[in-house]
């Protein structure tokens, strides 16, 4: 969501999971209490992260993700990332 990628246009789910079941089970939780994070400032005590694996379906974007990623910030939010790169699954999944 923070990169402006569109499912069905730029990317597709990398597995056979059904829509609505994309998230992995057993997310990773962390607390932000006592910090100056945006979560704490908005009344949250932490966050739970879940990951979804997509594959690029855009021919040119597969070689150069900057052609399809929008890192300028979404929905009026400040940008969250400054660059993007694709990596083989074997390098990012343990």
């Amino acid at each position: 969501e923070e990169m402006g990628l569109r499912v069905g246009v730029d990317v597709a789910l990398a597995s056979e999971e059904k829509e609505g079941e994309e998230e992995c089970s057993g997310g990773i939780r962390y607390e932000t209490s006592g910090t100056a994070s945006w979560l704490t400032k908005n009344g949250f005590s932490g966050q739970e992260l879940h990951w979804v694996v997509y594959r690029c379906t855009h021919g040119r974007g597969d070689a150069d993700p900057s052609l399809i990623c929008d890192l300028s910030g979404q929905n009026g939010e400040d940008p969250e990332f400054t660059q993007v790169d694709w990596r083989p699954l074997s390098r990012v999944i343990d």
Side-chain angles (χ1 to χ4, degrees):
E1 77 189 82
E2 289 89 359
M3 298 188 313
L5 295 172
R6 299 161 294 167
V7 176
V9 176
D10 303 311
V11 294
L13 282 174
S15 70
E16 297 296 321
E17 295 172 335
K18 297 176 183 161
E19 188 172 328
E21 297 178 4
E22 303 90 25
E23 294 182 351
C24 69
S25 61
I28 303 297
R29 291 184 180 184
Y30 65 91
E31 293 186 17
T32 60
S33 299
T35 69
S37 80
W38 71 268
L39 290 163
T40 302
K41 290 177 182 176
N42 286 286
F44 298 100
S45 62
Q47 186 173 25
E48 181 172 297
L49 303 176
H50 292 259
W51 289 269
V52 180
V53 176
Y54 292 97
R55 62 180 175 81
C56 182
T57 58
H58 186 283
R60 292 181 60 215
D62 193 35
D64 183 1
S66 68
L67 296 173
I68 58 175
C69 294
D70 178 0
L71 304 181
S72 65
Q74 303 294 313
N75 302 317
E77 295 182 10
D78 290 334
E80 189 166 341
F81 302 105
T82 57
Q83 63 184 16
V84 63
D85 193 12
W86 303 130
R87 298 287 180 191
L89 278 178
S90 61
R91 289 191 59 198
V92 296
I93 295 178
D94 196 354

